[in-house]
Amino acid sequence: MKTDSRFPKLHIVDHPLVTHKLSTMREKKTPSNSFRQLLRELTYLIGYEVTRNLPMEVRTIDTPLGKCKASFLAGKKLVIVPILRAGLGMSDGLLDLMPSARVGHIGLYRGPDHMPVEYLVKLPSKLDKRQIILCDPMLATGNSAVAAVDTLLKRGVCPEDIKFVALVAAPEGVETFQKAHPEIEVFVASLDEKLNKNAYIVPGLGDAGDRIFGTK
Ligand code: URA
């Protein structure tokens, strides 16, 4: 895993498979079905690191050959929260890894000046007793990620119980996010160069939602 001295909570998953799959996603000619599949596979690879420090507990189990002590996931129940719409492209992969997790949704669209406007919040109960994995493939301005975390905090979640997962981040977005929520760890496959004047990540991969769903 790579780090960046500017951003203490940023983890960049650095692996040949991650780089290859992300490069393929960046290509303009990659069709939606391949784009979706690659995003799912990349989510598995990033998800492996996001979940690395989940608490475990030891139980005694019966195997076909006798008893043994075996470790299982323990601790707070997991909730996967995609930021709609592009976050859905990552929540499926996270759910494959953690099939018993609950799924919440936060819907935000880009309003004037690229500021997020909330249009949907649907979250499981007892949120303060859960560990949240918030996902959105593009950490661009950081405004949506900040707003989504604000929504979770307002409902009683502790910042230490939230991890944010993206595919590609812009330095501007990571800076904004870490200024607003310095305790929250962020996992990405790439820290790209910059944002353009339309708040798209450069080189990025274009509009993640449109490419996942084949819209435009
Ligand atoms: N959202 C996207 O889908 N792509 C970007 O580059 C920035 C925000």
Side-chain angles (χ1 to χ4, degrees), residues 145-214:
V146 170
V149 170
D150 289 343
T151 295
L152 295 170
L153 298 183
K154 265 189 244 150
R155 283 160 176 79
V157 182
C158 295
E160 300 73 35
D161 286 333
I162 303 173
K163 291 186 197 304
F164 184 76
V165 193
L167 187 62
V168 179
E172 296 89 331
V174 183
E175 190 169 343
T176 298
F177 185 75
Q178 300 235 302
K179 264 195 190 132
H181 299 298
E183 316 82 350
I184 298 181
E185 290 188 290
V186 179
F187 294 79
V188 298
S190 173
L191 179 63
D192 275 15
E193 204 182 309
K194 60 177 183 188
L195 286 183
N196 72 10
K197 64 177 187 331
N198 296 318
Y200 275 81
I201 301 177
V202 179
L205 43 74
D207 188 301
D210 282 343
R211 296 200 63 190
I212 293 166
F213 297 109

Side-chain angles (χ1 to χ4, degrees), residues 50-51 54 76-83 94 98 101-106 123-135 148-149 151-153 155-165 184-185 187:
V50 174
T51 52
L54 285 181
K76 290 189 169 176
K77 296 242 164 68
L78 292 163
V79 184
I80 298 160
V81 181
I83 301 178
L94 289 169
M98 295 161 281
R102 301 272 177 105
V103 183
H105 294 93
I106 297 180
L123 296 163
S125 60
K126 301 188 190 139
L127 219 52
D128 56 321
K129 302 206 168 34
R130 300 183 192 275
Q131 167 105 45
I132 316 281
I133 303 180
L134 183 65
C135 58
V149 170
T151 295
L152 295 170
L153 298 183
R155 283 160 176 79
V157 182
C158 295
E160 300 73 35
D161 286 333
I162 303 173
K163 291 186 197 304
F164 184 76
V165 193
I184 298 181
E185 290 188 290
F187 294 79

Side-chain angles (χ1 to χ4, degrees), residues 29-140:
K29 67 174 191 208
T30 300
S32 276
N33 57 350
S34 311
F35 190 92
R36 264 199 302 273
Q37 179 59 27
L38 287 161
L39 181 55
R40 197 180 196 110
E41 292 166 11
L42 276 164
T43 305
Y44 295 161
L45 296 168
I46 306 169
Y48 180 77
E49 295 296 348
V50 174
T51 52
R52 180 175 284 286
N53 295 317
L54 285 181
M56 306 291 288
E57 67 183 14
V58 178
R59 285 189 237 146
T60 302
I61 58 162
D62 292 311
T63 76
L65 296 182
K67 288 191 187 301
C68 80
K69 288 192 189 304
S71 296
F72 294 88
L73 290 174
K76 290 189 169 176
K77 296 242 164 68
L78 292 163
V79 184
I80 298 160
V81 181
I83 301 178
L84 304 182
R85 132 185 101 128
L88 291 172
M90 298 188 93
S91 56
D92 288 345
L94 289 169
L95 208 48
D96 286 345
L97 294 178
M98 295 161 281
S100 55
R102 301 272 177 105
V103 183
H105 294 93
I106 297 180
L108 301 169
Y109 66 85
R110 269 190 186 192
D113 299 330
H114 311 295
M115 290 312 286
V117 181
E118 195 174 272
Y119 66 89
L120 177 111
V121 179
K122 199 83 188 155
L123 296 163
S125 60
K126 301 188 190 139
L127 219 52
D128 56 321
K129 302 206 168 34
R130 300 183 192 275
Q131 167 105 45
I132 316 281
I133 303 180
L134 183 65
C135 58
D136 189 351
M138 308 305 276
L139 180 55

